[in-house]
Amino acid sequence: MWARNVVQLAYGVPGILAYFLVFYAMRGVRKILSTNFIVIYVVMAVSNMLTWLNAWIYLKLTDESFFFFYFEWLKEHAWIS
């Protein structure tokens, strides 16, 4: 299971960093780009980043014994009802 996490981090972290690089580039050319395009792109990128983070935490880390305490705590202290 450890190898799956390493593989997901190996492509996920550079992907997230690339999104931030694109955000920085879009900030520099925001006068040229349409405001609607920037808003749609940012919403799409943020939803992609949150989806990746959610999948990594709840699908990959549940198999790691080091994080069992965290998932047991989540079962006892649900903050979304």
Side-chain angles (χ1 to χ4, degrees):
M1 298 303 158
W2 186 80
R4 283 185 4 188
N5 288 328
V6 170
V7 168
Q8 183 151 3
L9 288 174
Y11 76 81
V13 172
I16 299 295
L17 294 176
Y19 272 127
F20 286 114
L21 181 65
V22 171
F23 290 159
Y24 180 73
M26 288 176 70
R27 187 175 153 259
V29 294
R30 66 180 176 264
K31 303 273 190 225
I32 299 170
L33 296 174
S34 166
T35 304
N36 293 333
F37 171 78
I38 293 173
V39 169
I40 291 170
Y41 183 82
V42 168
V43 167
M44 180 209 58
V46 168
S47 69
N48 284 342
M49 289 187 286
L50 291 175
T51 300
W52 175 81
L53 185 64
N54 182 52
W56 182 63
I57 290 174
Y58 291 106
L59 297 177
K60 304 296 184 202
L61 292 184
T62 54
D63 296 334
E64 297 293 333
S65 60
F66 178 75
F67 290 101
F68 282 160
F69 74 92
Y70 174 69
F71 292 108
E72 288 299 321
W73 181 83
L74 279 180
K75 288 178 186 175
E76 296 172 6
H77 301 90
W79 55 279
I80 297 178
S81 57

